[in-house]
Amino acid sequence: MKASEWLTVDQPVQLEIQTTTLDGEPQLAEGSLTIHALQPPSRVHRGNLPTSNPRGRFGLREMPDPDDEPGATDPSDPNQWPLGVVVLERGFTTGTNGLTTVDVRLPAGEYRVSLATQDRFGRPVTSRLPLEVIDP
C-alpha cells in the first residue's frame, strides 16, 4: 500500500494497493481494508534529540520524562499510539494487473490503515500504513 506524502482534508486520500508475488509478478487478490483513527497521548510529548557526543547534541543532554515508565513506548511517535475507532472497513479486489485504488475522505488526524488478504496458498498476508491528514 502507498499514499501521497502530503494529505489534506481538501482532497480524498487515495490509497494505492498493489499485490504481487515475491518475484514482482502481478496477482489478483481479494481482501479487506480497515482504517483506524489513532488515540493520541493526553499531552504533547517531544521526541528525544539524537546525541552524537557525550555532552549531547547542541550541548543538550537527554533528560528522561519523570512521567514515563521504564520500557514504555515513545508517546511522541504516532506509530506507537494505540488504535482508536474504526473509520472505514471495506473490501477490495485487485485486477489481473495486481492494482486497485481506494479513495476515502478523512478529517485531520493520525490514522493506521490495515490490509488483510491471503496468498495463493491460503496463508494470511497483512500490511500496515500510517497516515497523517492535515488541515492547512
Side-chain angles (χ1 to χ4, degrees):
M1 282 189 299
K2 63 182 174 179
S4 174
E5 291 284 326
W6 181 257
L7 302 171
T8 65
V9 295
D10 300 335
Q11 298 290 324
V13 174
Q14 186 175 57
L15 298 169
E16 297 175 22
I17 300 170
Q18 180 179 18
T19 53
T20 65
T21 65
L22 293 176
D23 295 330
E25 295 295 320
Q27 294 289 305
L28 177 87
E30 293 181 356
S32 64
L33 191 69
T34 306
I35 301 178
H36 286 89
L38 298 181
Q39 293 179 353
S42 58
R43 64 184 179 89
V44 175
H45 292 263
R46 293 188 179 157
N48 290 330
L49 293 173
T51 58
S52 57
N53 61 50
R55 297 192 65 202
R57 189 171 183 185
F58 307 115
L60 300 174
R61 293 184 188 270
E62 291 182 19
M63 300 300 291
D65 188 335
D67 295 335
D68 288 346
E69 298 175 16
T73 59
D74 179 4
S76 68
D77 181 7
N79 290 319
Q80 296 182 23
W81 294 355
L83 297 178
V85 298
V86 173
V87 177
L88 173 83
E89 280 186 292
R90 182 184 294 176
F92 74 88
T93 303
T94 59
T96 54
N97 62 355
L99 299 172
T100 192
T101 59
V102 175
D103 292 340
V104 61
R105 283 204 174 269
L106 296 171
E110 298 282 343
Y111 300 91
R112 185 170 305 135
V113 183
S114 300
L115 177 140
T117 188
Q118 294 181 356
D119 68 9
R120 64 183 178 182
F121 303 109
R123 292 182 295 225
V125 176
T126 59
S127 179
R128 292 188 182 100
L129 178 69
L131 297 177
E132 179 181 21
V133 179
I134 62 169
D135 187 356

